Amino acid sequence: CIRDRVGTRQLIEIPEQMVCNSPEDLNATVFPSFEERHTDTTYLSERSILVCKNDLAMERNNEMVERLPGDEFESYSIDYCMEEEDKARYDTDTLNQTNSSGLPPHFLSLKQNACIILLRSLNPKIGFCNGSRCLLKNWTRNLLVVQELAGEK
């Protein structure tokens, strides 16, 4: 409910049962029984945490990946320039720290059964479009094998 006005902005009161006091509290509230249900595609498709900044999204994602059993798969972006004149123009460290919307991070740590979001439309006819949520089932150096989350179509 709209509680008050400050200048031209309206303030919205957040119900007490929706307030979380820490990232751990937020994860536990949105994903109860995560350790037991982390492979349940219906359970995962019914939950998400929305954040306003990319760095916060990475923090929440990394926390959830850490809770998954198994070995981590570390993936790095390609961070070198093919053309000599571009090497002087683009600093590799700066490019690696860029956290832009719509681009994957330079370093990404994943585990089997991590929930991921596609950034490209790979096969729209069968539902693998930009924004599709999937479960990571397997990987190689250049390929991720995914399963679409239930209810995503």
Side-chain angles (χ1 to χ4, degrees), residues 102-104 117-124 127-132:
L103 291 176
I117 296 176
L118 298 181
L119 296 180
R120 299 244 163 110
S121 294
L122 300 175
N123 193 337
F128 288 110
C129 300
N130 178 21
S132 295

Side-chain angles (χ1 to χ4, degrees), residues 85-111:
E85 64 266 10
D86 289 338
K87 290 180 182 178
R89 198 176 315 157
Y90 302 107
D91 176 50
T92 302
D93 292 332
T94 302
L95 290 174
N96 291 348
Q97 293 175 5
T98 300
N99 191 8
S100 180
S101 179
L103 291 176
H106 167 63
F107 170 74
L108 187 59
S109 178
L110 296 170
K111 289 184 181 179

Side-chain angles (χ1 to χ4, degrees), residues 35-49:
E35 283 75 10
E36 296 83 31
R37 301 190 67 192
H38 67 272
T39 60
D40 181 345
T41 59
T42 302
Y43 166 83
L44 293 171
S45 71
E46 295 172 345
R47 292 161 171 73
S48 64
I49 296 175

Side-chain angles (χ1 to χ4, degrees), residues 2-47:
I2 297 176
R3 181 132 172 112
D4 209 350
R5 284 186 176 271
V6 175
T8 59
R9 298 183 312 178
Q10 296 178 338
L11 301 179
I12 299 174
E13 183 178 358
I14 299 174
E16 186 64 34
Q17 69 269 19
M18 294 180 72
V19 175
C20 295
N21 296 311
S22 70
E24 296 79 18
D25 187 25
L26 175 64
N27 290 342
T29 300
V30 176
F31 294 97
S33 307
F34 178 75
E35 283 75 10
E36 296 83 31
R37 301 190 67 192
H38 67 272
T39 60
D40 181 345
T41 59
T42 302
Y43 166 83
L44 293 171
S45 71
E46 295 172 345
R47 292 161 171 73

